[in-house]
Structure formats: C-alpha cells, structure tokens
Amino acid sequence: MRYSEEELRKKLQLYFVMGSNNCLKDPEIVLQEAIEGGITFFQFREKGTHAKKGSEKIKLAKKLQAICKQNGIPFIVNDDLELALEIDADGIHIGQEDEDPLKVRKMIGDKLLGISVHNLNEANQALAQGANYLGVGPMYETTTKKDIREVKGPEVIVELRENNLTVPIVGIGGIQKGLIKSVIEAGADGVAVISAISNSENPREAVKDLLEEMK
Ligand code: TZP
Ligand code: MG
C-alpha cells in the first residue's frame, strides 16, 4: 500500500464520489470546486443512466485524474479494473456484487482497494481479502443509488468497531449536512458523499459546510 493506515485514515475524511450524471454542471468544474472546498479523496463512479462508456469514459477519467494529481488528491476508480490499470489510478473500489477481491488484489498490486460492506460478516471477509478501507452503508435513505440495501444507519459502524475492526472506514449513503457527526461519532474515519456536493449549485461552499461539521 502506498499510504500508511494512519495517512489513509486522514485522507478519507471527506471522500467525494462522482460521475458525470451526478453533476449539475461540467464534472471537471464540479471536481475542481470540490477540491478548492477541501475534499480529501475522490472516486470516479461513472455508472447508471446516461453514464459515459468506452473511450468517452476513459477520456473523462483521465481529465478528472489530472485534476486530482495537480492537487494531491487520491484518485480511485469505481468497479472498473481495466480502467484503473489502464490509467494507473491510485486504487479501485468494488461492491459485493463486483469482481472477486482476491483477483482484483492480484491485478492491482499495492494500489488501494476499497470494498463496500453492509454488515460484520462482509467486513471480516473484505479484510481477509485485503481491503485497505471499507465503505459502510447505506447510512441513510438516498435516491442517488437505486439498488441499495436496507438502511441500518451508523449503528453498523459501531458494531464493527465493537468487534475490534480498526480498518479505515467511511460511511456512505444519504449523508447530507447535519448528518456528519452521527457517522463520525459511530467510529467512521470519514464520510463518502455524492449528492451533498455534486447536486449543490456551489460545490466549494457545500464542501466547506460539511468539513465545518467534522470539527
Ligand atoms: N453506495 C451506497 S449508497 C450510495 C453508494 C454509491 C450513494 C451515495 O450517494 P449520496 O448522494 O451521497 O446519498
Ligand atoms: Mg459496484
């Protein structure tokens, strides 16, 4: 891994996840403004209705990756091993229904591997399979992702911590202004958000508001 666990914990504080169909304006501008606001981590998640495919997807990925590079923000690719390897991303994030984590790890070497989990069993399995961090959710109701599991709230993170899981964790799903504290207090190192930033007219200010709540 290219980051120590402690470094990774810090970097995961405000994790912005985004694809072009999440944005109200040009995704490059949204990302740039989110970075100016202070996001600490980025995931390119180009999926769902009107998502770019093929060379268009690669083109956008490279543009967003360049913006992250210029600003020292880790760039993670959602569920596309081929793309992650082709553009030499900092890591990949996969869900329970995605590619086999052991295979992914073999292919990515020491790049970061994030895995989405929904309970203690999945969390233990993800760790055994070499996850560097876990995305736990959905914390709250969300309309951004259609096929979500049951909402169990920050309580799931409490359960993982009570079972001595020290791995870096971000909560995800429906996290908006006013809900950050509950996720952090449950034991998360950070929060992962899409719409709280991407649906804002002013992503820079949206990020600042979210960070303000972390203090
Ligand atoms: N995984 C679980 S919920 C979710 C993902 C990708 C969507 C998060 O989007 P939002 O807008 O922050 O609720
Ligand atoms: Mg997935």
Side-chain angles (χ1 to χ4, degrees):
M1 183 168 53
R2 293 153 194 212
Y3 301 98
S4 72
E5 201 172 74
E6 284 321 301
E7 278 170 336
L8 183 56
R9 240 180 252 294
K10 284 205 192 98
K11 296 218 176 259
L12 286 170
Q13 187 180 41
L14 185 48
Y15 189 168
F16 182 33
V17 178
M18 184 198 89
S20 58
N21 61 5
N22 302 125
C23 296
L24 299 181
K25 50 189 175 188
D26 183 342
E28 289 172 69
I29 293 174
V30 172
L31 177 58
Q32 186 65 50
E33 291 182 5
I35 290 174
E36 285 165 18
I39 61 159
T40 54
F41 218 73
F42 179 71
Q43 180 188 127
F44 178 57
R45 182 177 178 277
E46 187 67 17
K47 55 165 57 175
T49 327
H50 305 305
K52 295 184 191 304
K53 295 201 161 62
S55 61
E56 286 296 304
K57 181 178 177 184
I58 299 172
K59 211 163 103 184
L60 177 60
K62 284 183 175 167
K63 283 184 187 163
L64 299 178
Q65 182 185 31
I67 295 170
C68 283
K69 259 202 184 127
Q70 280 160 20
N71 293 279
I73 304 293
F75 179 90
I76 307 296
V77 170
N78 180 287
D79 187 23
D80 188 337
L81 184 54
E82 207 183 323
L83 176 64
L85 293 174
E86 178 174 341
I87 66 175
D88 192 22
D90 296 304
I92 182 164
H93 188 97
I94 55 174
Q96 293 294 315
E97 283 81 30
D98 300 334
E99 231 150 340
D100 172 18
L102 294 176
K103 175 193 165 191
V104 172
R105 171 54 78 199
K106 220 180 227 164
M107 301 292 291
I108 65 173
D110 69 349
K111 289 183 191 298
L112 291 169
L113 174 59
I115 301 186
S116 293
V117 303
H118 312 88
N119 53 51
L120 181 59
N121 262 348
E122 289 178 359
N124 278 323
Q125 192 177 13
L127 290 183
Q129 292 169 326
N132 297 114
Y133 74 87
L134 304 179
V136 182
M139 292 286 108
Y140 302 102
E141 294 294 341
T142 178
T143 54
T144 309
K145 181 174 156 84
K146 303 298 170 215
D147 56 332
I148 58 161
R149 304 270 192 105
E150 182 195 349
V151 173
K152 291 195 199 140
E155 206 40 47
V156 182
I157 299 177
V158 173
E159 191 192 356
L160 301 189
R161 294 307 191 204
E162 280 173 357
N163 282 274
N164 300 318
L165 267 67
T166 58
V167 61
I169 289 176
V170 290
I172 185 165
I175 301 173
Q176 302 282 341
K177 211 171 149 180
L179 295 173
I180 305 269
K181 261 212 165 72
S182 55
V183 179
I184 298 296
E185 282 173 5
D189 298 289
V191 296
V193 307
I194 301 180
S195 58
I197 299 172
S198 72
N199 273 354
S200 168
E201 296 288 343
N202 189 337
R204 190 192 306 108
E205 289 309 310
V207 169
K208 284 189 177 163
D209 285 350
L210 296 175
L211 283 172
E212 190 59 34
E213 268 181 60
M214 304 257 182
K215 289 182 184 158

